[in-house]
Amino acid sequence: MASFIHLNPAARDYTYNSPSGAEGATDESDVLAFHQTLPSYNETTLHTLPALAASLGLSHVLVKDESDRFGLPAFKILGASWAVYRAVLSALDANNDQKKNPMTVANLGAAARDRGLSIVTSTEGNCGRAVARMAQYLGLPARVFVPAYMSEGTRQKIRGEGTEVLIVEGSYEDTIPVIRREAAEREGSVLVLDVGLEGYEVVPKYFVEGYSSMLAESEKQVPKLTGGKAATHAIVPCGAGSIAQAVVQHYKGAQRQKQHGNATVIAVEATTAACLKVSLETGEATDVLTADTIMNGMNCGTLSTLAWPVLSRGVEASVVVTDQESHAAVEEMKGSGIMAGPCGAATLAALRRVCADPHARSLLALGPESIVVIYCTEGSRDYHIPS
């Protein structure tokens, strides 16, 4: 790979304007209120790493730690719970006003069971388990399709949510046509995916909205650790793009910019699955062939059709990191008491990479006033340590 960093300086002036009143558009406060009704809701920790910040010449480095979200080891349950809830409401023709008359999870589950609904999804790991957990909350059966390379340990964790796991030969992308046929042919199936596809973009919007609770939490937490100052930079993993889209929409949102000024968004990918970086370089959404990586939650060769228009305009830098860099970041975070998985720690690896590059550092305005939030999206898990 010729370069590990692609800079997109035009994104500095991007403002995201929420499509108020459009289908799938919901206030962050409404989504957070929904999450607070779920079993074991918890506001995850925002750690501060002063020694790291000092060594990099930054004001603050803060880590939003998603290693325990609703008892699951990743942020995905935020998007999955909201998306399943809204998708089932829609399947029942019962879309309701979340502010005035929200339907409880218990009531929704009862109505969905009466109609014989079930959930179908595909996953590379954390998302499928999260969808299965929300199906369990609703008391609905779920079928989770997975690529053949997924480890048996990961499959078992998904099965542990009381769901059926079905194996598809090939990559994650190869599971998509299979589950679309499954949902079309099996009566009562509700298709739940976090990636926008042609003709399928409403439910992925709900995933993006669901992730806003993590961002609303961190926005409140940052000033408590910085003497009242807001974040200037955010670093987020990018697989198919939904979580990165949520981060751009939040930090580049018109209201956030009015309150706190502009913020720089940096996305990180594995060297083996750099579809965002390649797309930014070519100027159009571009698929890439993927290969095995310890960052398997980011092992996506195709961007969400919903995410690409936002990412292309709002991501200032796309950074790719190697498995070795990700593993080193896992160990570094562990030394600070943060039990991260490779996808979560990749954000720290990306921060180190851009800070070590004088041109990128200058263009991204990383300096002694910078307050950097890195989103550690998954907790510790087993993986093959790279040589």
Side-chain angles (χ1 to χ4, degrees):
M1 183 169 291
S3 172
F4 287 88
I5 303 172
H6 177 81
L7 298 170
N8 186 27
R12 183 68 184 171
D13 298 323
Y14 176 66
T15 297
Y16 175 76
N17 291 297
S18 176
S20 179
E23 184 177 17
T26 306
D27 291 342
E28 286 185 358
S29 59
D30 295 335
V31 180
L32 182 59
F34 163 77
H35 283 136
Q36 289 169 341
T37 69
L38 296 181
S40 304
Y41 167 76
N42 59 305
E43 182 179 281
T44 56
T45 303
L46 186 69
H47 303 272
T48 182
L49 302 180
L52 175 62
S55 71
L56 296 177
L58 306 172
S59 177
H60 292 82
V61 175
L62 306 169
V63 181
K64 183 63 167 165
D65 180 1
E66 293 292 307
S67 62
D68 181 11
R69 178 65 82 168
F70 294 110
L72 294 179
F75 76 106
K76 285 285 191 178
I77 185 64
L78 291 172
S81 58
W82 180 245
V84 171
Y85 177 81
R86 292 298 302 267
V88 172
L89 276 174
S90 180
L92 294 172
D93 296 321
N95 276 308
N96 62 321
D97 189 321
Q98 231 3 62
K99 287 183 182 293
K100 296 179 180 177
N101 187 33
M103 183 179 285
T104 66
V105 169
N107 288 344
L108 181 64
R113 292 192 299 274
D114 286 345
R115 285 273 295 275
L117 299 188
S118 63
I119 306 298
V120 60
T121 190
S122 68
T123 187
E124 291 188 286
N126 289 321
C127 189
R129 187 179 178 189
V131 169
R133 172 66 62 86
M134 186 58 189
Q136 185 185 109
Y137 288 161
L138 291 167
L140 298 179
R143 292 161 61 82
V144 180
F145 289 76
V146 305
Y149 60 73
M150 178 182 286
S151 71
E152 181 58 28
T154 301
R155 295 177 198 167
Q156 284 298 108
K157 288 177 180 176
I158 298 171
R159 292 188 187 105
E161 302 297 332
T163 192
E164 183 180 2
V165 173
L166 300 102
I167 300 167
V168 177
E169 292 301 322
S171 68
Y172 170 76
E173 282 73 21
D174 293 318
T175 69
I176 300 300
V178 176
I179 64 169
R180 295 191 83 171
R181 286 195 301 271
E182 168 81 5
E185 295 172 1
R186 183 179 285 241
E187 186 177 356
S189 292
V190 179
L191 179 61
V192 177
L193 288 173
D194 67 343
V195 56
L197 306 167
E198 185 176 350
Y200 182 82
E201 291 194 333
V202 174
V203 173
K205 288 180 183 179
Y206 299 146
F207 272 92
V208 175
E209 288 180 351
Y211 300 144
S212 70
S213 289
M214 178 182 73
L215 303 167
E217 288 177 2
S218 62
E219 198 74 83
K220 291 189 301 180
Q221 291 169 314
V222 168
K224 298 175 183 177
L225 299 172
T226 62
K229 297 179 181 178
T232 60
H233 296 71
I235 306 182
V236 60
C238 180
S242 292
I243 181 59
Q245 179 187 349
V247 169
V248 170
Q249 289 180 184
H250 176 84
Y251 282 99
K252 299 291 188 179
Q255 183 176 357
R256 201 274 177 187
Q257 287 184 336
K258 184 176 181 180
Q259 290 178 325
H260 302 299
N262 214 328
T264 296
V265 177
I266 299 168
V268 56
E269 299 175 286
T271 54
T272 55
C275 54
L276 174 61
K277 180 175 177 291
V278 171
S279 297
L280 289 172
E281 289 169 343
T282 61
E284 61 182 6
T286 304
D287 295 351
V288 300
L289 293 175
T290 63
D292 287 346
T293 172
I294 63 172
M295 294 168 276
N296 57 7
M298 295 155 63
N299 191 14
C300 301
T302 301
L303 285 171
S304 166
T305 58
L306 188 65
W308 167 241
V310 176
L311 301 183
S312 63
R313 295 177 177 90
V315 170
E316 276 94 335
S318 174
V319 183
V320 295
V321 299
T322 66
D323 280 4
Q324 290 81 4
E325 289 174 303
S326 174
H327 172 64
V330 167
E331 295 299 308
E332 183 177 353
M333 283 192 169
K334 187 186 298 182
S336 298
I338 303 170
M339 305 307 291
C343 292
T347 51
L348 173 56
L351 175 61
R352 284 200 169 278
R353 183 172 282 284
V354 293
C355 283
D357 184 308
H359 177 61
R361 184 181 182 118
S362 175
L363 202 62
L364 296 171
L366 283 161
E369 301 300 316
S370 298
I371 298 170
V372 182
V373 177
I374 61 179
Y375 287 93
C376 180
T377 51
E378 69 169 357
S380 178
R381 59 175 171 81
D382 294 334
Y383 59 91
H384 177 71
I385 297 175
S387 56

